[in-house]
Amino acid sequence: MTGPGLTDALAAWLPRQRWYGGRGTTTTGVDVERVVELADDLGRGGVRAVLLVVRAHLSTGESHLYQVPLAVRATMPSGVDGGPIARRDGLVLYDATSDPEAMALLLGVIARGGDRSGVESTADDPDELRAAVRAGVPARRLRGEQSNTSVVFGDRVIVKLFRRLATGTNPDLEVHRALRPYGLPHVAALLGSVATTLDGEPVTLALAQRFVPGAVDGWELATAAARAPAGQDLLPEDDLRALGIAVAEVHHALGRAFGTSALTGPLLADARDTMLTRLDGAVVAAPVLEPYADEVRGAFAGLTGVPPGEHVQRVHGDLHLGQVLRTADGWKVIDFEGEPSAPIARRVVADSPLRDVAGMLRSFDYAAAQVELSCGSYGEVVAARRWAERAKAAFLAGYGAATGTDLSGRAELLRAWELDKAVYEVVYETRHRPGWARIPLRAVAGAGAARGGGGHGFHDAR
Ligand SMILES: Nc1ncnc2c1ncn2[C@@H]1O[C@H](COP(=O)(O)OP(=O)(O)O)[C@@H](O)[C@H]1O
Ligand SMILES: O=P(O)(O)O[C@H]1O[C@H](CO)[C@@H](O[C@H]2O[C@H](CO)[C@@H](O)[C@H](O)[C@H]2O)[C@H](O)[C@H]1O
């Protein structure tokens, strides 16, 4: 099925996908590295499904691995969105994630477990997975701005298909596995996974979790709360405190599962060097950062004192409001993959849990900035910023109380992590949503003001 026709078609199709990391460069070619058959004959409804692992070569000389689940049929069914990727031998090949019958084949493979023509699937909760297969509920692909593609099976199971791949176990799977014995209410239960091997290393392709029905993500709630008229409290302070507590409890469980160690002076110096190196790379990727780079370097360089008792441990790594779900049963934290573009080895290194806290603080700013992006009035913009400051304070109060930490004594660290995150975000937005780049850019531009004693997100209502 693979061949030059398909690889050329993929080289044209991949750069149009939101999750493609090679934007801003030219894709010079695609190689198919692995073809994993989900069903080698026609499955239900006459669909054949394969998971492709492809390597995209970029004009920069880099190459990235991606997963492309392909559905193959005699004719393209109606209701399946995204056009065909290729046509050959009288068959049409297209992205399988919006084809419910192709996705049913995937769920079946996970539920059965074991090794099958290059797919190693693990059913951590075979009963739950088999029940979902037996129920035969149609699969629906989630929409939205995501790094991966998630498919929900009848509000029971959610399967996330990783798009940009890396060799090594995906941290999202690793964390769900490690936390499983703790039965933490803030993390959805792991049901199963799919992997293949490349160069003798595992490559995680998909992760199945229990779907949490009726969940609303923190981003949706926060953006609505930031623009709500005074008196309408869409995200009450108690919920925000509870969110801080949930994040603290997740950190506690991660610390138990993976261990903790002291944040020493040399470790802090390493973190500082990493941030400086990252800044240099970010300025190249997003030259709009250039005018602020010296100020940011100065802010990082000032990071020298380790507050007593500060520690490092496994963290979430990319925590923001879109990674928390409010449910009838409290907050859930999702997506432990870390920053999707970083190498796995870097994502799993023990880090300060305050980095996650900083990620959430940045996210409240993003939520408030939506009012500006949608041309809110001056009064609405000011009210949204005030809302964000109150929200940050409530979140920090919950986190501080649950961890027993005095966060005001950690303001320098938090500021540096926020700035580092904002630098990352400027690059992310430049690549994916250029119209949003000014949100994190403003935080970067504020580096000088913050060093001069300006706002750090605790008490000041800018
Ligand atoms: N266990 C779950 N229950 C319900 N919805 C979920 C669950 N896990 C994820 N989701 C939904 O799927 C979306 C994408 O999940 P996420 O793991 O963040 O993927 P991505 O890496 O693509 O961002 C989330 O924003 C959320 O709406
Ligand atoms: O959720 P992902 O793992 O895909 O994370 C990536 O995409 C996020 C955007 O969806 C991005 O988050 C940034 O935008 C959010 C609003 O859409 C905002 O709440 C976050 O604070 C901001 O960082 C994330 O950085 C990126 O890794």
Side-chain angles (χ1 to χ4, degrees):
M1 181 204 314
T2 58
L6 179 62
T7 49
D8 289 349
L10 284 167
W13 181 82
L14 280 168
R16 297 202 301 269
Q17 308 313 307
R18 183 195 180 265
W19 37 262
Y20 189 61
R23 290 176 189 200
T25 64
T26 306
T27 305
T28 53
V30 168
D31 292 326
V32 175
E33 299 264 344
R34 203 94 175 74
V35 181
V36 177
E37 292 277 353
L38 292 180
D40 36 25
D41 46 2
L42 292 186
R44 238 184 334 147
V47 67
R48 179 181 171 198
V50 294
L51 304 181
L52 295 187
V53 176
V54 303
R55 186 177 292 281
H57 299 279
L58 308 179
S59 49
T60 54
E62 285 173 286
S63 71
H64 294 168
L65 282 177
Y66 292 97
Q67 170 172 210
V68 181
L70 273 189
V72 185
R73 287 184 188 262
T75 49
M76 181 111 175
S78 60
V80 169
D81 55 19
I85 295 176
R87 293 180 194 276
R88 52 193 302 153
D89 305 330
L91 295 169
V92 58
L93 284 63
Y94 55 94
D95 189 285
T97 55
S98 61
D99 184 324
E101 282 157 351
M103 289 297 96
L105 294 174
L106 173 65
L107 186 65
V109 164
I110 308 176
R112 281 194 294 278
D115 194 345
R116 188 178 176 284
S117 62
V119 194
E120 178 66 46
S121 53
T122 309
D124 294 274
D125 189 339
D127 293 345
E128 184 60 29
L129 287 165
R130 283 194 205 118
V133 170
R134 275 196 305 274
V137 284
R140 68 185 163 92
R141 191 175 81 179
L142 292 185
R143 312 269 150 218
E145 305 243 307
Q146 272 129 36
S147 302
N148 299 294
T149 304
S150 292
V151 178
V152 177
F153 295 85
D155 287 4
R156 306 177 73 127
V157 178
I158 176 164
V159 174
K160 168 150 121 177
L161 289 110
F162 295 105
R163 292 299 195 159
R164 176 126 177 228
L165 304 175
T167 47
T169 301
N170 187 290
D172 203 7
L173 173 59
E174 191 193 11
V175 165
H176 276 92
R177 264 193 195 140
L179 293 186
R180 209 164 177 254
Y182 299 93
L184 191 69
H186 302 304
V187 176
L190 172 67
L191 301 179
S193 59
V194 185
T196 187
T197 48
L198 215 57
D199 304 328
E201 293 275 341
V203 176
T204 311
L205 297 176
L207 167 65
Q209 296 166 46
R210 192 183 300 275
F211 183 77
V212 185
V216 188
D217 81 55
W219 174 250
E220 213 176 298
L221 290 165
T223 45
R227 65 174 71 244
Q232 262 188 44
D233 208 357
L234 297 181
L235 196 44
E237 193 175 321
D238 279 357
D239 280 7
L240 290 159
R241 277 183 71 92
L243 177 58
I245 295 170
V247 171
E249 287 175 358
V250 168
H251 280 158
H252 182 66
L254 287 170
R256 284 176 68 197
F258 293 95
T260 63
S261 55
L263 173 63
T264 59
L267 273 182
L268 185 62
D270 282 352
R272 204 176 51 219
D273 291 347
T274 307
M275 292 196 287
L276 287 166
T277 310
R278 163 135 101 172
L279 175 63
D280 291 342
V283 171
V284 175
V288 69
L289 282 166
E290 180 67 62
Y292 312 105
D294 281 343
E295 202 66 66
V296 176
R297 279 189 198 102
F300 290 159
L303 195 62
T304 48
V306 180
E310 202 53 35
H311 73 280
V312 291
Q313 61 159 90
R314 185 64 180 263
V315 298
H316 181 284
D318 188 23
L319 195 60
H320 57 80
L321 284 160
Q323 313 281 40
V324 292
L325 306 176
R326 192 176 71 179
T327 76
D329 194 20
W331 289 96
K332 307 272 176 203
V333 178
I334 58 168
D335 194 2
F336 289 85
E337 205 186 351
E339 286 173 2
S341 57
I344 287 189
R346 200 170 83 210
R347 294 190 240 159
V348 301
V349 171
D351 208 331
S352 167
L354 292 181
R355 262 196 202 280
D356 287 345
V357 173
M360 288 300 288
L361 298 181
R362 293 281 320 115
S363 204
F364 286 115
D365 266 359
Y366 257 77
Q370 297 312 299
V371 174
E372 242 171 300
L373 285 188
S374 60
C375 302
S377 67
Y378 177 74
E380 287 165 339
V381 169
V382 170
R385 287 192 189 168
R386 290 212 175 108
W387 174 85
E389 294 310 323
R390 285 197 305 276
K392 288 182 197 181
F395 169 77
L396 286 173
Y399 187 86
T403 49
T405 355
D406 171 16
L407 288 171
S408 59
R410 274 134 175 96
E412 282 279 303
L413 271 184
L414 260 179
R415 265 196 216 113
W417 301 158
E418 276 187 85
L419 204 46
D420 182 51
K421 182 75 179 183
V423 167
Y424 162 81
E425 289 170 341
V426 172
V427 177
Y428 179 88
E429 301 302 353
T430 303
R431 286 191 178 139
H432 296 276
R433 305 179 290 203
W436 288 31
R438 64 182 148 124
I439 306 174
L441 197 60
R442 187 165 46 212
V444 171
R451 284 175 73 206
H456 53 37
F458 286 112
H459 339 272
D460 69 314
R462 261 170 277 176

